[in-house]
Amino acid sequence: MKTKIVVLGATGTVGSKISEILLNQGHQVTLIARHTEKLEKYRSLGAEIIAGDITDVQTLTSAFKNADSAFVLLPDNVKAENTRAYQRHVTSILIEAIEKSGIKYIVNMSSLGSHMHEGNGMMAGTGEQEVRLNQLKDVNVLHIRSAYFMENFLRTIGVVKKMGFNATAADGDHAIPMVATADVAEIAASHLANLDFNGKSVRAVMGPRDYTYREFTSIIGSAIGNPELTYVQLPVEQAKQAFLGNGVSEDFANNLIEMGTAVKTGFMNYQKRDDSTTTPTTAEDFVNEVYLPAFNK
């Protein structure tokens, strides 16, 4: 059975992989993104490509109207002066488009830690989005609560190369679930294609096991030929200044830092790990297949 599917955030780390999987399976896929030039490679696979912002309710409504299912998310806005207000606005637009279009199956990209609505930075917004999507009548909604993306380590390649150590504001010795986005995409794509969920439900995607930042850094060090590579927990103010120096708003920086420093509270370890929440790609697999090629560019 071929399914008609809309993918938002198709240029992102998860959305791009979902798009590729679904197109290769022969489904009718519509991709929506602000910068469609990154999506041209999918046109030859049969994708319909629409230029549109996630806050454009008419574009979303029109796309959802003829679809069986849609992948939705809460994208970052690094320039937002009020991150939570921006997140609420996006959620409102998504809900309006879903209600007006009549679409019946929604896969929502959420996160571990979204059971809490404060003290967890960005996840307060994803938690609120879950609650609000759950109010939709006669719409099946599956929340994919993903673990910490292994891909986040790609963001500190510059630090590793320049400083000779890895660093974030998060505690280095508190183990949390970490997952490769390829595994998240496989699960999301399967649900989008098979329409195999009913009512409102949560699917946690937790990677192969829990890792500390220090352990993951050691795995990176072994792969890049620097077995002595260390992890450094940055002081909050230093991390904040680094974010501000990269052009993000102060409020967005505060949300990122709160998310990182709250890791030690255990909010990322709330979901139960079992066979259904565990995925196959190990840190070693990820570092060899994804991190190392990026590092050597």
Side-chain angles (χ1 to χ4, degrees):
M1 182 184 79
K2 300 308 175 189
T3 311
K4 294 180 180 177
I5 303 162
V6 176
V7 179
L8 304 187
T11 58
T13 51
V14 176
S16 60
K17 295 178 179 71
I18 291 173
S19 304
E20 201 161 320
I21 292 166
L22 294 172
L23 287 164
N24 285 328
Q25 291 175 350
H27 297 287
Q28 295 181 41
V29 183
T30 299
L31 308 179
I32 301 177
R34 279 178 297 175
H35 306 294
T36 56
E37 62 275 6
K38 294 180 180 178
L39 300 177
E40 286 303 319
K41 60 185 176 182
Y42 299 124
R43 202 182 292 277
S44 62
L45 295 174
E48 179 185 0
I49 297 170
I50 297 174
D53 190 89
I54 199 162
T55 58
D56 183 345
V57 69
Q58 288 181 315
T59 297
L60 297 187
T61 303
S62 176
F64 290 169
K65 194 161 282 184
N66 299 313
D68 298 306
S69 64
F71 175 75
V72 305
L73 73 171
L74 199 51
D76 289 340
N77 180 353
V78 300
K79 301 293 186 184
E81 294 302 322
N82 185 328
T83 299
R84 201 69 66 247
Y86 169 77
Q87 290 177 316
R88 287 187 180 124
H89 177 60
V90 170
T91 302
S92 295
I93 296 293
L94 289 172
I95 287 171
E96 185 179 347
I98 291 165
E99 289 180 329
K100 284 183 174 177
S101 68
I103 192 170
K104 296 300 181 189
Y105 289 88
I106 297 293
V107 174
N108 173 47
M109 186 75 230
S110 189
S111 170
L112 293 187
S114 294
H115 62 288
M116 290 167 49
H117 291 203
E118 59 181 28
N120 54 351
M122 312 301 293
M123 271 70 125
T126 54
E128 186 175 308
Q129 178 155 297
E130 283 190 18
V131 172
R132 293 180 65 191
L133 288 173
N134 284 347
Q135 308 308 306
L136 287 165
K137 299 279 195 296
D138 303 319
V139 182
N140 302 295
V141 182
L142 174 66
H143 305 290
I144 301 283
R145 283 190 184 168
S146 169
Y148 184 85
F149 289 162
M150 293 181 184
E151 272 78 358
N152 289 334
F153 285 93
L154 300 177
R155 298 177 179 177
T156 57
I157 284 176
V159 175
V160 172
K161 286 185 172 182
K162 184 177 179 181
M163 306 302 294
F165 56 79
N166 189 26
T168 77
D171 182 272
D173 297 307
H174 186 84
I176 61 171
M178 296 188 186
V179 68
T181 57
D183 291 350
V184 180
E186 284 281 354
I187 289 168
S190 174
H191 290 302
L192 286 162
N194 296 320
L195 311 178
D196 54 359
F197 53 97
N198 293 296
K200 311 300 189 288
S201 55
V202 170
R203 171 83 188 264
V205 186
M206 299 177 68
R209 64 178 180 85
D210 295 0
Y211 298 91
T212 67
Y213 286 78
R214 200 175 307 284
E215 180 185 10
F216 207 103
T217 296
S218 294
I219 294 167
I220 289 170
S222 296
I224 65 174
N226 180 8
E228 302 302 314
L229 185 69
T230 57
Y231 176 80
V232 176
Q233 182 179 1
L234 295 176
V236 166
E237 192 54 39
Q238 186 179 342
K240 182 174 179 177
Q241 291 307 314
F243 286 132
L244 295 176
N246 286 328
V248 310
S249 73
E250 184 166 5
D251 187 68
F252 189 85
N254 288 339
N255 271 270
L256 283 177
I257 289 166
E258 185 177 67
M259 181 175 66
T261 55
V263 160
K264 198 172 180 179
T265 68
F267 79 98
M268 290 288 281
N269 299 76
Y270 169 76
Q271 299 290 153
K272 181 182 176 184
R273 179 180 289 284
D274 57 26
D275 288 346
S276 72
T277 62
T278 297
T279 50
T281 303
T282 65
E284 290 81 1
D285 293 336
F286 173 82
V287 169
N288 287 319
E289 294 164 17
V290 180
Y291 187 96
L292 204 51
F295 184 87
N296 291 328
K297 268 187 179 177

